[in-house]
Amino acid sequence: MPAVSKGDGMRGLAVFISDIRNCKSKEAEIKRINKELANIRSKFKGDKALDGYSKKKYVCKLLFIFLLGHDIDFGHMEAVNLLSSNKYTEKQIGYLFISVLVNSNSELIRLINNAIKNDLSSRNPTFMCLALHCIANVGSREMAEAFASEIPRILVAGDTMDSVKQSAALCLLRLYKTSPDLVLMGEWTSRVVHLLNDQHMGVVTAAISLITCLSMKNPDEFKTCVSLAVSRLSRIVSSASTDLQDYTYYFVPAPWLSCKLLRLLQCYPPPEDGAVKGRLVECLETILNKAQEPPKSKKVQHSNAKNAILFEAISLIIHYDSEPNLLVRACNQLGQFLQHRETNLRYLALESMCTLASSEFSHEAVKTHIETVINALKTERDVSVRQRAADLLYAMCDRSNAKQIVAEMLSYLETADYSIREEMVLKVAILAEKYAVDYSWYVDTILNLIRIAGDYVSEEVWYRVIQIVINRDDVQGYAAKTVFEALQAPACHENMVKVGGYILGEFGNLIAGDPRSSPLVQFNLLHSKFHLCSVPTRALLLSAYIKFINLFPETKATIQEVLRCDSQIRNSDVELQQRAVEYLKLSSIASTDVLATVLEEMPPFPERESSILAKLKKKKGPGAVSVTELEDSKREGGELNGGGDRGSDTAAMAASNASTPSPSADLLGIRSAAPIGAAPASAGSLLVDVFSEAGPAAPSAAVSDDGFLRDLEQPTETSDSLLVEGSGDSDPKFPVSHRFVCKNNGVLFENQLLQIGIKSEYRQNLGRMYLFFGNKTSVQFASFTTTVSCPGELQSHILLTKPVEPLVEGGAQIQQVLNIECLTDFSEAPLLNIKFRYGGALQNLTLKLPVTINKFFQPTEMASHDFFQRWKQLSQPQQEAQKIFKANHSMDTEVLKAKLLGLGTALLDNVDPNPENYVCAGVIQTKSQQVGCLLRLEPNAQAQMYRLTLRCSKDSVSKRLCELLAEQF
Amino acid sequence: MPFFMLLFSRQGKLRLQKWYVPLSDKEKKKITRELVQTVLARKPKMCSFLEWRDLKIVYKRYASLYFCCAIEDQDNELITLEIIHRYVELLDKYFGSVCELDIIFNFEKAYFILDEFLLGGEAQETSKKNVLKAIEQADLLQEVSHVKNCE
């Protein structure tokens, strides 16, 4: 037993603990515990009333047993009894037991709350503190209900002792975190904010945690705290190291409070008041200056406390992102830390610099440290530090240093920890594509990736290299030559075989002139890998073979022989068997011309309309199609982490092939058959790229910039790229209300943190909209709230069915459902406001929800005669709205049809005498009335113009529909 | 804000656990098991911070005991390291050159001291003098009542 026995030792407890420690085995321990439990149980059940001391001792033993990891199912009542003891020591143990072993037994909760209530009103500060500690430790809903209104009163009352105030502030914070709806600050707000001015540093330290949390949620209500925080900070920063007496920690004045003040300021933009801002900038400069001063102590506590403040100050500087001078100074300071002998500081400097790299003011300054960071990647002994270095390299990468950084990351990959390889692969792939100036470098890099870390190369990566090769004829020969060489390796990764099979199948002819890579050599090389590959890869290889027959007639006999052998034509896998049979047949009966047509080289990827139609038929799933541009400048390492496992394309491949025996269609199908089976996400997302590349003016580098990243970050939803606009439409400024007029599903919003997908369905005047909020980062979003409002005279009525979970885990997706009822016609869109905290910063964004009047269309079928009769009935001038405008998008028939169908009306055939024109009819269902609408769209292909005419039984509807639709074509 | 604080020995025995977010016992046990394993596997000169799940872990070893805090992404690692140190100082001052045994045999005291220093995960009182004063006052009350008890 130790000599120390402060307060009252409980001898029985000490003996018991000694016994447990002396147990030689787990079994012996359990035996001893069971004996003790039986003893305690009999004491509690015994006839003799236990005195307070014994009760306390037994409760304490139970607590000890619980903390050892054993279950305790009794003793709660005795602990609750202790709460109402007037002896402090018994009360204290009672509260400790309750805090650790709280049980949601309602009867007990009532008793506990009663005891707490008594202690809170006892006016004995030590009792009050005990009660507050218990509430803060348990923090249950029941306690919030009982005490949330009482505690603010205690906190701000003039006669409350300082120590009680401190406990009350943090107790309230805990209740606010568990039940924000029950903690209403209202009238107390200003008095709570003024606690920042309290004379007692302990009170300020405790209160500021509460104020920071409240400010995050209600920044406006608490904004007066900014100037108070600045002046408090200023006083601390400029004080001598001894001024604050016991609040000075190893010669650093009030480090905890300083950090918290700086943290609080990060809830707000830079102060608007010039004087306040000046004072704050001065503080930040002083903190940066102090970092250069010689240390006042050699103790690590001194430097830690000092640097804790410094890092928090740098966070604030980064948060403001508006003071170039401070940003560069911060960067230089971190640069010094990069070579510090303390591992902790190197780690933090790398981490902090990552965010600095994303500021335009300090990006260049960060880049100057590249050699140090590369060195860290190579030499740091701690993997977590190396990881930070890799993150920073990724963040500081741009066109000027991409080759160097990619090369370093590739060589690191060879020895990298398994846990981070996939992320590294994605990073390398992204950088290689984003900054590729010459595409042979890009091809080399990706093939290297596959060679070094093939298992971690996801489909997106190898799909992407194929897409790029197909779309850029200047790199095709090089790619063919390079994969051919890569395949020479005796053991190469299956992903390499896939890429090789695909590329040689398409472009093998470009290297066939060299006898060392003659057609037969190529074929034999590919086929030598065949037997080691999985079914999907073999299927791909079979397609490559049939392409060979077309490219190189001299290989026909050999390949037919292969196809004909039993292991192919009788393969137990139905997919392989079918391919073998069909390809064999195709190669035997089709003439060379037919073969050449069917097996023509893959066209570049603007495969627009057919995919749209394919999608149209299989409308489903919320779109994972991004239209918003990624903000390049704010990109940071963390965002990649979301890219976890993604679906395989096997199902899509197999299924599409089964229905499309033509191999060229099949190769296409790998991409276009997204909505099949369980895991088509990757296939679908490729489509997005296809579209983004279709934009006529988009330079290829810019295309790859976004397309790829977007790919990798798709949530694993089925992508529905229905009516994905080409790059022309990807302008983020293009209003949401216009993008979603003709479709119900898609990506409403996307930036580097968050992706919002919507999926909606409408019936008559009712609608239901599913919002999917996807966290693209690896970090939890805190305080995630959404609100929907209907501004102005908007009559469409929207109900939120349930609030979103306040936390969105990294990489996770949450769903929210909105029920919509259209009361009468409308033209404004409801607004969706989203707030959450990511890292330190509050994110706040407001989007228009794509609810437009046409969503409530019911299609109406009618014959030509009826149509024109109604057309004439609606002939009053105000019932008609007309617009003549230039075509903004493709005038292709199928595209137009798809859009008009998406509008919700019936597209009427054989109505208009001119077959070039389109007429549609529908009824808009609102709660108050039905509005019949007729539409006529007359394209003039030569002039690239349209005339759009609408006639509706309500004139406001004609006008609104005309505005909406004029943007669509 | 810390999510939890764990004290465990080099042998992986948990000596103190304080949870600032509601979790089931099962989750707590799982987290404890995994984290203890992770931290014990690290070599002495390694960095005191690591990413673990979505949390940042800050830990430091004092003699045979590891002190380990899980904090949120935006929290300050260095100041957390000093939170740990201040707690160690408080224990040291109270017990007089504290050792693992003190915490085993007087676990309730270790909890009381922690509650005076950190409440709900946030610093309540960072002055060493004030925290110890509060604890000593409580001890005084204990002794008074204990004396009464024995009479």
Side-chain angles (χ1 to χ4, degrees):
Chain A
M1 252 181 81
V4 175
S5 178
K6 288 250 186 177
D8 66 330
M10 284 170 277
R11 214 186 125 64
L13 175 65
V15 170
F16 174 58
I17 295 175
S18 289
D19 283 359
I20 295 289
R21 283 180 56 73
N22 290 333
C23 287
K24 293 275 182 290
S25 66
K26 194 81 197 161
E27 289 72 36
E29 183 183 311
I30 290 171
K31 211 173 146 200
R32 178 68 185 88
I33 284 169
N34 285 337
K35 186 179 150 205
E36 192 65 37
L37 285 175
N39 173 39
I40 298 172
R41 202 176 263 126
S42 74
K43 295 279 185 202
F44 283 169
K45 279 194 177 154
D47 304 331
K48 213 176 97 200
L50 287 175
D51 61 11
Y53 171 78
S54 315
K55 217 183 270 176
K56 178 185 78 170
K57 185 179 69 185
Y58 293 131
V59 166
C60 216
K61 280 183 182 174
L62 286 178
L63 188 56
F64 181 79
I65 293 170
F66 178 78
L67 290 171
L68 278 179
H70 301 270
D71 292 333
I72 293 296
D73 54 4
F74 69 102
H76 300 79
M77 201 57 199
E78 284 72 16
V80 173
N81 285 341
L82 287 176
L83 296 184
S84 43
S85 162
N86 53 8
K87 286 176 191 136
Y88 181 80
T89 165
E90 289 162 18
K91 199 187 270 297
Q92 197 183 23
I93 295 292
Y95 272 126
L96 180 61
F97 185 93
I98 299 298
S99 303
V100 176
L101 263 138
V102 73
N103 188 314
S104 57
N105 181 327
S106 58
E107 187 56 24
L108 276 181
I109 287 286
R110 204 176 50 78
L111 292 172
I112 295 167
N113 281 356
N114 255 342
I116 292 176
K117 197 163 276 167
N118 287 337
D119 282 333
L120 282 183
S121 52
S122 71
R123 309 198 135 261
N124 174 340
T126 35
F127 284 13
M128 286 173 88
C129 281
L130 272 186
L132 289 168
H133 290 180
C134 179
I135 302 173
N137 281 325
V138 176
S140 66
R141 180 105 195 143
E142 290 84 358
M143 288 197 175
E145 277 163 2
F147 303 109
S149 53
E150 172 69 12
I151 296 169
R153 216 186 307 276
I154 298 177
L155 176 59
V156 297
D159 57 349
T160 307
M161 298 268 294
D162 289 331
S163 61
V164 178
K165 273 191 195 168
Q166 286 165 276
S167 299
L170 294 175
C171 182
L172 199 55
L173 170 60
R174 176 69 196 265
L175 292 185
Y176 185 76
K177 281 189 172 156
T178 41
S179 317
D181 53 318
L182 294 177
V183 179
L184 303 168
M185 295 312 291
E187 47 180 323
W188 311 114
T189 303
S190 132
R191 293 170 76 182
V192 169
V193 170
H194 276 86
L195 288 172
L196 286 176
N197 265 341
D198 202 285
Q199 296 220 309
H200 191 284
M201 292 282 275
V203 173
V204 190
T205 308
I208 193 169
S209 298
L210 173 66
I211 295 168
T212 305
C213 179
L214 291 169
S215 296
M216 282 178 196
K217 293 264 166 112
N218 328 287
D220 285 343
E221 279 174 53
F222 283 82
K223 64 171 177 255
T224 48
C225 70
V226 172
S227 60
L228 291 179
V230 169
S231 63
R232 189 96 213 189
L233 179 69
S234 166
R235 269 179 283 159
I236 296 174
V237 168
S238 57
S239 64
S241 53
T242 50
D243 285 358
L244 301 174
Q245 295 160 350
D246 210 35
Y247 290 91
T248 296
Y249 179 83
Y250 291 87
F251 304 100
V252 181
W256 286 282
L257 183 52
S258 304
C259 284
K260 286 181 174 224
L261 286 164
L262 289 161
R263 184 86 196 82
L264 171 60
L265 290 171
Q266 288 170 57
C267 300
Y268 291 92
E272 281 160 21
D273 182 328
V276 176
K277 189 169 180 197
R279 210 167 168 196
L280 178 56
V281 168
E282 218 170 89
C283 285
L284 294 171
E285 278 170 346
T286 312
I287 293 170
L288 285 167
N289 291 341
K290 281 189 178 174
Q292 297 298 324
E293 288 170 10
K296 293 196 175 70
S297 154
K298 286 217 167 85
K299 287 256 167 52
V300 68
Q301 284 76 26
H302 170 71
S303 73
N304 279 351
K306 198 165 120 179
N307 292 327
I309 299 172
L310 177 65
F311 276 106
E312 207 60 66
I314 291 176
S315 295
L316 182 62
I317 292 170
I318 296 171
H319 169 74
Y320 287 163
D321 198 13
S322 60
E323 301 282 332
N325 173 39
L326 289 176
L327 280 162
V328 171
R329 282 195 65 186
C331 184
N332 293 339
Q333 183 59 54
L334 294 177
Q336 289 182 17
F337 286 157
L338 285 182
Q339 316 215 39
H340 203 279
R341 61 188 166 79
E342 278 273 327
T343 314
N344 288 347
L345 281 181
R346 295 199 302 276
Y347 176 97
L348 293 175
L350 289 165
E351 189 185 43
S352 210
M353 242 189 207
C354 250
T355 38
L356 270 179
S358 61
S359 164
E360 53 172 320
F361 300 115
S362 48
H363 183 79
E364 287 304 316
V366 170
K367 272 169 61 186
T368 59
H369 299 288
I370 184 167
E371 295 302 334
T372 320
V373 182
I374 287 174
N375 198 40
L377 187 65
K378 284 180 177 160
T379 57
E380 282 289 351
R381 276 186 295 176
D382 186 342
V383 58
S384 41
V385 186
R386 290 199 298 271
Q387 171 74 55
R388 291 284 84 81
D391 288 348
L392 178 53
L393 282 179
Y394 178 75
M396 67 161 71
C397 189
D398 62 19
R399 212 166 285 282
S400 72
N401 54 20
K403 282 199 178 177
Q404 186 187 8
I405 286 180
V406 166
E408 293 296 345
M409 287 173 98
L410 268 177
S411 75
Y412 175 58
L413 200 50
E414 303 203 37
T415 53
D417 258 44
Y418 293 109
S419 55
I420 62 171
R421 282 196 182 184
E422 182 173 6
E423 192 189 322
M424 291 288 297
V425 166
L426 290 177
K427 284 184 171 170
V428 171
I430 289 167
L431 294 179
E433 179 176 344
K434 192 155 139 59
Y435 299 115
V437 187
D438 73 276
Y439 278 83
S440 49
W441 173 72
Y442 169 76
V443 170
D444 283 342
T445 306
I446 302 297
L447 294 185
N448 265 331
L449 261 189
I450 295 175
R451 196 158 35 221
I452 295 168
D455 282 345
Y456 300 88
V457 172
S458 53
E459 271 123 14
E460 288 82 351
V461 175
W462 73 261
Y463 282 1
R464 191 64 194 148
V465 71
I466 285 173
Q467 280 193 347
I468 286 180
V469 169
I470 286 183
N471 282 13
R472 303 193 58 94
D473 42 18
D474 54 335
V475 79
Q476 288 160 356
Y478 181 80
K481 179 167 161 285
T482 321
V483 284
F484 178 78
E485 280 162 11
L487 287 173
Q488 303 287 336
C492 57
H493 195 273
E494 189 163 335
N495 280 337
M496 187 71 86
V497 179
K498 289 178 184 163
V499 175
Y502 202 108
I503 287 182
L504 292 180
E506 293 293 330
F507 308 115
N509 56 330
L510 298 177
I511 57 168
D514 188 326
R516 283 166 300 175
S517 52
S518 72
L520 219 51
V521 174
Q522 286 184 42
F523 170 74
N524 285 333
L525 180 61
L526 281 179
H527 199 55
S528 69
K529 315 284 180 194
F530 188 91
H531 306 280
L532 299 170
C533 291
S534 63
V535 169
T537 308
R538 290 193 201 181
L540 187 150
L541 285 177
L542 289 178
S543 297
Y545 297 169
I546 185 77
K547 290 221 152 196
F548 266 51
I549 292 185
N550 175 47
L551 287 178
F552 318 115
E554 66 267 39
T555 59
K556 184 171 171 177
T558 318
I559 291 174
Q560 280 182 333
E561 200 53 47
V562 168
L563 293 175
R564 201 176 287 124
C565 81
D566 277 357
S567 64
Q568 308 298 355
I569 211 159
R570 300 231 167 105
N571 194 295
S572 61
D573 184 273
V574 68
E575 171 64 28
L576 292 180
Q577 189 188 98
Q578 185 173 3
R579 284 193 192 211
V581 171
E582 289 177 2
Y583 292 167
L584 184 60
K585 203 73 187 160
L586 181 70
S587 66
S588 346
I589 59 172
S591 70
T592 354
D593 282 354
V594 171
L595 213 54
T597 315
V598 173
L599 300 171
E600 207 178 351
E601 185 179 309
M602 288 288 291
F605 276 85
E607 253 303 319
R608 230 175 134 159
E609 42 178 282
S610 68
S611 313
I612 288 173
L613 285 177
K615 288 284 164 184
L616 190 64
K617 286 178 200 137
K618 298 170 178 171
K619 242 184 180 176
K620 65 178 227 180
V625 177
S626 134
V627 188
T628 332
E629 213 170 70
L630 264 174
E631 258 183 282
D632 211 1
S633 61
K634 289 197 179 156
R635 188 167 297 165
E636 55 169 79
E639 66 179 350
L640 275 172
N641 302 342
D645 53 334
R646 236 156 262 105
S648 93
D649 70 322
T650 329
M653 206 176 188
S656 76
N657 187 256
S659 57
T660 50
S662 145
S664 82
D666 164 38
L667 290 174
L668 252 179
I670 291 175
R671 281 160 194 74
S672 60
I676 296 174
S682 53
S685 54
L686 275 167
L687 270 175
V688 182
D689 282 329
V690 172
F691 291 126
S692 63
E693 261 165 303
S700 55
V703 166
S704 38
D705 265 359
D706 304 307
F708 193 34
L709 252 184
R710 219 183 285 156
D711 257 355
L712 297 170
E713 288 165 9
Q714 303 296 345
T716 45
E717 295 289 335
T718 311
S719 133
D720 185 356
S721 51
L722 169 70
L723 285 190
V724 181
E725 293 84 356
S727 59
D729 291 5
S730 310
D731 184 351
K733 291 179 194 79
F734 191 64
V736 163
S737 49
H738 291 155
R739 278 198 283 116
F740 285 85
V741 167
C742 294
K743 60 173 180 173
N744 287 333
N745 306 329
V747 169
L748 181 62
F749 173 84
E750 180 165 26
N751 66 9
Q752 73 275 28
L753 302 178
L754 177 71
Q755 187 189 55
I756 306 172
I758 63 162
K759 184 180 172 187
S760 42
E761 50 196 27
Y762 294 88
R763 188 168 302 136
Q764 306 213 322
N765 70 323
L766 300 175
R768 179 167 293 165
M769 181 176 283
Y770 299 85
L771 291 162
F772 300 86
F773 300 95
N775 180 347
K776 291 170 48 176
T777 72
S778 61
V779 177
Q780 189 185 61
F781 289 162
S783 324
F784 194 91
T785 53
T786 63
T787 39
V788 174
S789 56
C790 300
E793 58 208 296
L794 177 58
Q795 299 288 303
S796 165
H797 191 53
I798 295 211
L799 285 171
L800 260 183
T801 50
K802 64 167 189 184
V804 198
E805 295 297 322
L807 296 175
V808 189
E809 298 294 339
Q813 192 184 55
I814 54 169
Q815 179 187 334
Q816 185 176 32
V817 186
L818 303 178
N819 283 335
I820 303 162
E821 184 179 5
C822 177
L823 302 176
T824 177
D825 69 297
F826 61 94
S827 53
E828 286 301 315
L831 298 177
L832 169 70
N833 179 266
I834 299 140
K835 285 194 189 125
F836 60 94
R837 301 198 64 82
Y838 168 73
L842 182 71
Q843 310 285 329
N844 187 348
L845 54 108
T846 302
L847 304 167
K848 279 192 176 175
L849 280 177
V851 182
T852 45
I853 185 67
N854 65 291
K855 298 296 180 195
F856 304 94
F857 255 133
Q858 292 279 106
T860 319
E861 292 289 346
M862 57 180 85
S864 175
H865 169 74
D866 292 329
F867 183 86
F868 282 106
Q869 192 176 7
R870 290 184 202 196
W871 185 261
K872 277 184 201 122
Q873 281 166 0
L874 297 169
S875 58
Q876 288 171 31
Q878 65 270 30
Q879 287 176 327
E880 179 180 286
Q882 191 173 71
K883 212 162 185 171
I884 298 172
F885 54 91
K886 206 153 178 57
N888 288 318
H889 307 282
S890 158
M891 292 185 80
D892 183 87
T893 317
E894 294 308 321
V895 176
L896 287 179
K897 279 188 181 167
K899 285 187 182 176
L900 289 167
L901 283 174
L903 181 67
T905 51
L907 181 59
L908 306 177
D909 285 327
N910 305 322
V911 168
D912 200 290
N914 180 350
E916 299 297 317
N917 293 347
Y918 302 92
V919 291
C920 302
V923 175
I924 288 178
Q925 307 274 347
T926 75
K927 196 178 178 193
S928 56
Q929 65 182 127
Q930 301 191 334
V931 185
C933 306
L934 301 175
L935 175 154
R936 190 177 194 197
L937 181 70
E938 301 161 80
N940 179 340
Q942 250 175 345
Q944 290 284 305
M945 299 284 282
Y946 289 105
R947 181 162 68 191
L948 172 69
T949 315
L950 275 142
R951 288 190 178 184
C952 305
S953 59
K954 194 167 178 188
D955 32 0
S956 55
V957 175
S958 305
K959 250 177 43 213
R960 179 63 188 150
L961 282 175
C962 195
E963 287 165 17
L964 283 173
L965 284 172
E967 302 293 333
Q968 300 298 319
F969 299 104
Chain B
M1 184 203 89
F3 279 139
F4 54 82
M5 188 178 199
L6 301 177
L7 266 66
F8 50 88
S9 71
R10 234 168 5 150
Q11 291 75 36
K13 288 243 182 205
L14 193 58
R15 295 303 180 204
L16 181 141
Q17 45 175 321
K18 190 77 185 179
W19 303 86
Y20 297 114
V21 284
L23 290 170
S24 69
D25 285 344
K26 207 174 138 199
E27 283 171 299
K28 288 178 187 173
K29 279 184 184 165
K30 182 159 181 270
I31 289 176
T32 308
R33 201 171 47 238
E34 283 180 25
L35 195 60
V36 167
Q37 231 171 24
T38 312
V39 171
L40 288 179
R42 290 176 62 87
K43 297 189 187 80
K45 286 272 167 141
M46 281 186 167
C47 158
S48 308
F49 319 125
L50 61 131
E51 283 182 347
W52 186 76
R53 298 190 181 176
D54 281 340
L55 298 174
K56 294 199 289 201
I57 303 296
V58 176
Y59 73 94
K60 188 161 178 177
R61 184 176 152 185
Y62 288 87
S64 59
L65 268 190
Y66 283 87
F67 289 68
C68 178
C69 274
I71 56 175
E72 283 177 279
D73 186 56
Q74 71 267 25
D75 287 335
N76 191 314
E77 291 97 338
L78 285 174
I79 208 74
T80 310
L81 210 48
E82 294 318 298
I83 289 255
I84 290 176
H85 187 75
R86 170 107 307 173
Y87 181 48
V88 174
E89 284 184 348
L90 288 167
L91 293 172
D92 196 60
K93 190 90 180 170
Y94 180 79
F95 288 107
S97 140
V98 67
C99 67
E100 194 183 336
L101 281 182
D102 293 323
I103 295 174
I104 296 171
F105 281 93
N106 302 282
F107 68 96
E108 80 282 9
K109 287 288 181 324
Y111 279 97
F112 297 147
I113 295 172
L114 188 57
D115 269 356
E116 287 294 334
F117 174 43
L118 290 182
L119 189 57
E122 301 282 356
Q124 174 173 223
E125 177 56 85
T126 59
S127 152
K128 193 156 64 173
K129 222 161 59 189
N130 289 353
V131 173
L132 290 171
K133 208 164 70 192
I135 295 289
E136 272 153 22
Q137 267 172 2
D139 277 345
L140 212 63
L141 282 171
Q142 289 197 359
E143 262 154 23
V144 170
S145 57
H146 184 48
V147 169
K148 272 195 220 152
N149 223 333
C150 296
E151 281 165 4

